[in-house]
Amino acid sequence: MHLFGKYRVEREVLDEQRLEEITQRKAYSDIHRSLTEQLRDSLRCTLPKLKRDVMSSLPVLYWLPKYSVWDYGMPDLVSGISVGIMHLPQGMAYALLASLPPVFGLYTSLYPALIYFFFGTSRHISIGTFTVLSIMVGSVTERLAPDVDFLIMNGTNITSEVDITARDSFRVQVAAATTVLGGLIQVLLGVVKFGFVGTYLSEPLVRAYTTAAAAHAVVAQLKYIFGVSPSRFSGPLSLVYTLKDVCSLLPHTHLPTLLVSAVTMALLIAAKELNSFLSPKLPVPIPVELITIVAGTLVSSYAHLNSNYTVSVVGEIPSGLSSPCVPDVSLFGEVIGDAFALAIVGYAISISLGKTFAIKHGYKVDSNQELVALGLSNAVGGFFQCFSVCPSMSRSLIQESTGGKTQMAGVASALIVLVTILKLGTLFQELPKAILASIVFVNLKGMFKQYADIVTLWRSSKIDLVVWLVTWVSTMLLNLDLGLAASITFALFTVIFRTQMPTYSVLGNVPGTELYVDLETHRQVRQKGVTIFRSSATVYFANADLYLEALKKSGLDISKMIIYKRRQEAKQRRRERRAERRAKRQAKKEVMENGTVFVIPTTPRTADGPSRWEYLKGGAPDSTSLGWMSELQDGDTTTLGSSSEDTLSRDLERVSLGSLGKWTWDIHSIILDLSTANFIDIVAIKMMKNVFQDFSEIDVDIYMAGCQASVVEQLERSEFFSDSITKRHLFASVHDAVLYCLNHRGASSFPRYDPSLVSLFRFYLECPALTFL
């Protein structure tokens, strides 16, 4: 048995004016301080305020003094070692995606993680290389430093070769400049509290974008998998051209390289499946990628794959750390678009992962501070030849699942990378690039599973599905930078479309409650005398005309109602003039032989006399009827005419506006439900004024209900209220407005026919001996 709670509230009907009196609403100047006061308060620096600002800007000062080594030390250390082991293969592999030497992937896994330790607010994300950002950096480096710009001619021979050292050096400069500029953009956006920019990247958009980026990553690694050298393309359709070129070179596949790739991918897939099967029983996941690169390096070194079979290897890896250097500022103008795209995509991925873990573990992530922390990680890292970074889903899950508690796990992982750079980097010089490409291939499996989103979105939201498909197609065809811009633009257009083309409904009351629902979608609702009109979106300049059109289509076309009213008045006047002439002629012909002619009024008497008369035979005249006869002879009365029965039935008939398809004669009040509006602009306010004025011409009251405080303030500032439109026309809720309308004009909730006319008609039906003349 289900028990439903009930509540009963007894209060007065509240319009806006009465609500303000009860709640003692503050004035606009009391809520919104002037610019001078804001500047004075911002310049007034007190010690507590300074402490709060420092704590918020440098979060490590807040949590590090409270750090418990006994509680958090060992879990953070184990988690950091596990993540650091993952950093090694991923850093080198993703450096190939960025078209940079693998050692710079190790640098990228070191410096940004240390910077984030001081400024980040998330305890579980792992900052470092990421597939999508690496591909985006690679598109920039290959566009500005293509191989054809570094060709060396072999004397008299026609053949030429690429100066790899010079090319890689310039590509590192391009990547560093792009990363620094992207980081500065992120810091600037964070300082001005622009962290909400990431909300414009919806989940379908981000997932479609990363899915398309995974396809770019696959195509970029095909040359390492098959051991071919396709031409490099950039700009729109570069993916198609590259794929076409790779397919044309497949007959020239380097078989030893393909064999290494196939064996590596087979072993990786089998090991990962085994790892996922045993994960509930293992405290720490097996470092499959690290084992793979160690085994691959040993096999390559002892089998001399490079010298004997010409399998491309990583090559020289310098030991030690490189000194910081200032990026080439002259490149900023050429990479500013790519830097902005990197900043937005990196932040979107970072904040989504950060909030996911924060909700799971019950702490808060500051979106603006995260933007600053990520920006500083990129900007400072760019001075050490790092490329753009953001959290990785796989590493973050490992950090969280292995027991990581705080940002100290990131420091532990950075130490693992540091040891590798200083002492172990040279050991990986014989590592085949095909193994790194295979690691990228296998790690993209999760992104390719996102194609299942198409089925899910088809069932749940067609608009989100269109956003997903447009994002995927534009990213595949227009490259990563232009594809992101096109995707965001289209997503914003869908938002505009949904607010410009909302759903409109006429509401009815659920009997016995204060609830109002759509008349078209519910049966047990009623509407009597009051029309409640609601839009699913706020009313502003883009949909004000559509709002008015929808109001007309709901049966409230003001212009047609005015025309109808005027036509009815004109018809009534013509009817009265004809009836007056017939009444005068009939009065002269009456001869009282066997009875008296009674003149019976069928409508209430007015100052000018009865508005309509009927004649009945029989009975005796009284003084009142004789008085009416004298008035009749004076020509001040009217009659229904010769066909009284037909006219009577017409008067009893409810009037309908056929062109509107809706009975509107019984509507005396209209309520505009604005509970969905969070703002209103000057165009919508002018439209509302016109609606009030037009309906007043046909004696229909109009009210607004459910207005938020911000909407009321905008109405006040726009001088919406006047002597004819006051705050008495605004109500706190729809139910308040309905109760007021029914109390104010409740009698009009029934068809407006004359009750005396009905009494006469019933009298005639009950007394058939009486006949009309």
Side-chain angles (χ1 to χ4, degrees):
M1 179 178 179
H2 296 281
L3 297 178
F4 296 95
K6 296 183 179 180
Y7 70 93
R8 184 185 300 275
V9 177
E10 185 174 348
R11 62 171 175 82
E12 62 178 301
V13 175
L14 295 176
D15 54 38
E16 184 64 29
Q17 182 173 331
R18 180 57 180 157
L19 182 63
E20 292 180 4
E21 294 173 357
I22 295 176
T23 59
Q24 297 182 1
R25 188 182 132 198
K26 296 179 181 179
Y28 180 82
S29 58
D30 296 333
I31 304 173
H32 303 276
R33 295 179 302 167
S34 64
L35 182 61
T36 305
E37 293 175 343
Q38 295 180 31
L39 291 174
R40 185 173 64 249
D41 291 344
S42 62
L43 294 176
R44 185 184 301 159
C45 184
T46 61
L47 187 59
K49 182 175 182 297
L50 179 61
K51 183 179 179 180
R52 288 195 303 269
D53 293 342
V54 172
M55 288 288 190
S56 61
S57 301
L58 206 62
V60 68
L61 298 178
Y62 174 76
W63 63 266
L64 189 59
K66 304 176 182 179
Y67 187 81
S68 174
V69 178
W70 296 106
D71 295 334
Y72 302 146
M74 186 55 64
D76 283 342
L77 180 61
V78 173
S79 176
I81 293 174
S82 303
V83 175
I85 291 173
M86 290 188 67
H87 267 300
L88 300 179
Q90 288 188 0
M92 290 189 289
Y94 294 158
L96 294 182
L97 287 178
S99 299
L100 300 174
V103 69
F104 291 96
L106 297 179
Y107 295 156
T108 305
S109 301
L110 171 63
Y111 295 107
L114 295 175
I115 299 300
Y116 186 83
F117 167 79
F118 293 98
F119 299 95
T121 60
S122 177
R123 305 173 190 173
H124 295 91
I125 61 176
S126 174
I127 296 292
T129 56
F130 185 65
T131 311
V132 176
L133 297 190
S134 300
I135 300 170
M136 296 175 71
V137 172
S139 66
V140 182
T141 56
E142 292 186 3
R143 186 183 77 241
L144 297 183
D147 290 344
V148 294
D149 292 349
F150 300 93
L151 294 178
I152 302 175
M153 303 302 295
N154 290 331
T156 57
N157 296 332
I158 301 177
T159 60
S160 60
E161 61 182 14
V162 179
D163 187 352
I164 296 178
T165 303
R167 182 200 65 184
D168 290 347
S169 177
F170 187 66
R171 285 183 176 179
V172 169
Q173 294 182 34
V174 172
T178 307
T179 302
V180 169
L181 184 57
L184 293 177
I185 292 173
Q186 288 174 329
V187 171
L188 180 61
L189 293 177
V191 169
V192 299
K193 310 298 181 184
F194 210 65
F196 68 89
V197 68
T199 60
Y200 288 99
L201 298 176
S202 63
E203 182 180 355
L205 188 148
V206 173
R207 291 176 67 86
Y209 185 79
T210 53
T211 304
H216 281 271
V218 168
V219 174
Q221 297 306 298
L222 289 178
K223 59 182 179 181
Y224 300 113
I225 297 294
F226 293 100
V228 295
S229 299
S231 302
R232 296 180 181 272
F233 302 94
S234 60
L237 299 180
S238 59
L239 181 71
V240 178
Y241 297 141
T242 302
L243 187 59
K244 178 182 177 182
D245 199 15
V246 170
C247 292
S248 65
L249 293 174
L250 287 181
H252 306 286
T253 299
H254 191 249
L255 295 181
T257 301
L258 180 61
L259 180 63
V260 171
S261 303
V263 172
T264 302
M265 283 191 284
L267 293 176
L268 277 173
I269 293 174
K272 281 184 173 292
E273 292 297 327
L274 180 64
N275 204 2
S276 61
F277 177 76
L278 297 176
S279 58
K281 302 178 182 179
L282 297 175
V284 178
I286 301 173
V288 177
E289 289 90 350
L290 181 62
I291 295 174
T292 301
I293 63 172
V294 170
T297 302
L298 292 175
V299 172
S300 176
S301 178
Y302 285 103
H304 303 287
L305 296 181
N306 180 246
S307 57
N308 294 338
Y309 303 99
T310 63
V311 174
S312 179
V313 296
V314 169
E316 182 181 358
I317 297 179
S319 59
L321 300 175
S322 60
S323 58
C325 61
V326 179
D328 189 355
V329 182
S330 63
L331 295 172
F332 281 3
E334 299 183 69
V335 300
I336 185 170
D338 303 281
F340 187 80
L342 284 165
I344 298 300
V345 174
Y347 171 68
I349 296 171
S350 177
I351 196 63
S352 60
L353 283 177
K355 287 185 175 181
T356 300
F357 290 115
I359 293 173
K360 182 177 180 180
H361 293 276
Y363 62 91
K364 184 179 179 182
V365 171
D366 187 342
S367 58
N368 291 308
Q369 182 60 30
E370 281 297 295
L371 195 51
V372 172
L374 189 62
L376 289 174
S377 300
N378 280 310
V380 175
F383 284 89
F384 292 92
Q385 291 83 48
C386 301
F387 53 91
S388 293
V389 296
C390 74
S392 165
M393 172 65 80
S394 59
R395 292 196 307 269
S396 299
L397 287 174
I398 293 299
Q399 181 169 321
E400 187 258 349
S401 61
T402 53
K405 302 295 184 182
T406 66
Q407 290 90 322
M408 287 296 293
V411 175
S413 65
L415 292 177
I416 299 297
V417 178
L418 178 62
V419 172
T420 303
I421 294 174
L422 294 178
K423 299 297 182 181
L424 305 178
T426 55
L427 299 178
F428 296 107
Q429 292 181 358
E430 293 297 321
L431 175 64
K433 292 182 178 179
I435 292 180
L436 294 177
S438 301
I439 292 174
V440 173
F441 250 77
V442 176
N443 285 340
L444 291 175
K445 181 181 67 173
M447 289 190 180
F448 285 118
K449 289 182 178 180
Q450 294 177 161
Y451 282 105
D453 292 350
I454 296 176
V455 179
T456 303
L457 294 177
W458 173 263
R459 296 171 180 170
S460 59
S461 174
K462 299 297 190 296
I463 294 181
D464 287 335
L465 174 62
V466 173
V467 171
W468 199 101
L469 294 175
V470 170
T471 302
W472 186 84
V473 172
S474 59
T475 306
M476 292 285 286
L477 299 181
L478 301 179
N479 220 336
L480 295 172
D481 48 356
L482 295 178
L484 178 63
S487 304
I488 295 176
T489 302
F490 181 79
L492 292 179
F493 270 119
T494 61
V495 175
I496 296 173
F497 175 78
R498 279 188 268 193
T499 57
Q500 189 177 2
M501 301 290 290
T503 57
Y504 300 99
S505 55
V506 177
L507 307 183
N509 177 249
V510 179
T513 71
E514 80 292 354
L515 304 178
Y516 295 85
V517 294
D518 192 351
L519 284 171
E520 292 186 1
T521 57
H522 299 80
R523 294 189 181 93
Q524 297 299 325
V525 293
R526 63 186 181 187
Q527 176 198 28
K528 187 175 292 185
V530 180
T531 295
I532 307 165
F533 183 75
R534 181 172 65 186
S535 168
S536 63
T538 188
V539 186
Y540 67 115
F541 71 93
N543 61 11
D545 291 338
L546 299 175
Y547 185 90
L548 189 57
E549 289 296 324
L551 190 63
K552 293 178 180 180
K553 291 179 181 179
S554 68
L556 303 173
D557 193 330
I558 304 169
S559 59
K560 290 184 178 180
M561 293 175 76
I562 292 175
I563 293 172
Y564 174 82
K565 179 186 176 184
R566 291 174 179 172
R567 287 178 178 175
Q568 291 298 109
E569 291 175 350
K571 289 181 180 179
Q572 182 64 24
R573 287 194 297 269
R574 289 196 298 270
R575 234 186 259 121
E576 291 175 354
R577 286 195 296 267
R578 288 196 300 268
E580 182 179 354
R581 289 193 296 267
R582 282 194 295 268
K584 289 180 179 179
R585 290 195 300 267
Q586 185 69 23
K588 294 178 182 179
K589 295 179 180 179
E590 286 295 336
V591 179
M592 303 174 64
E593 296 177 352
N594 299 323
T596 304
V597 176
F598 288 89
V599 183
I600 302 175
T602 61
T603 56
R605 186 180 181 87
T606 63
D608 299 327
S611 59
R612 193 172 292 136
W613 295 83
E614 296 293 347
Y615 296 90
L616 295 176
K617 286 185 177 181
D622 56 16
S623 58
T624 306
S625 62
L626 292 177
W628 291 342
M629 277 297 296
S630 62
E631 291 179 1
L632 178 65
Q633 292 171 354
D634 292 338
D636 295 331
T637 59
T638 59
T639 182
L640 286 176
S642 58
S643 181
S644 301
E645 186 174 356
D646 294 340
T647 306
L648 182 62
S649 62
R650 286 199 303 269
D651 287 332
L652 288 173
E653 182 182 16
R654 177 183 270 186
V655 182
S656 169
L657 298 181
S659 59
L660 298 179
K662 180 177 176 65
W663 299 93
T664 57
W665 187 254
D666 59 345
I667 293 175
H668 57 76
S669 302
I670 298 170
I671 300 172
L672 303 179
D673 181 7
L674 298 180
S675 57
T676 58
N678 55 357
F679 73 93
I680 189 169
D681 62 359
I682 190 64
V683 176
I685 290 174
K686 289 182 178 179
M687 184 268 294
M688 291 291 181
K689 275 187 176 181
N690 294 334
V691 170
F692 270 82
Q693 293 172 359
D694 291 340
F695 276 107
S696 64
E697 293 186 18
I698 55 175
D699 194 30
V700 175
D701 297 332
I702 186 165
Y703 304 94
M704 295 190 295
C707 297
Q708 299 182 19
S710 58
V711 175
V712 177
E713 289 179 1
Q714 289 170 325
L715 293 174
E716 289 176 338
R717 293 198 302 269
S718 302
E719 299 180 353
F720 175 77
F721 300 108
S722 60
D723 295 336
S724 58
I725 307 175
T726 66
K727 289 186 178 180
R728 295 289 185 185
H729 290 83
L730 272 68
F731 286 87
S733 68
V734 172
H735 196 56
D736 285 279
V738 170
L739 292 178
Y740 176 82
C741 294
L742 294 179
N743 291 332
H744 183 57
R745 297 181 63 170
S748 300
S749 61
F750 299 97
R752 296 179 184 176
Y753 50 78
D754 201 324
S756 61
L757 204 60
V758 177
S759 301
L760 174 64
F761 184 58
R762 288 176 179 171
F763 175 68
Y764 168 69
L765 294 177
E766 294 172 359
C767 303
L770 300 178
T771 57
F772 287 98
L773 290 177

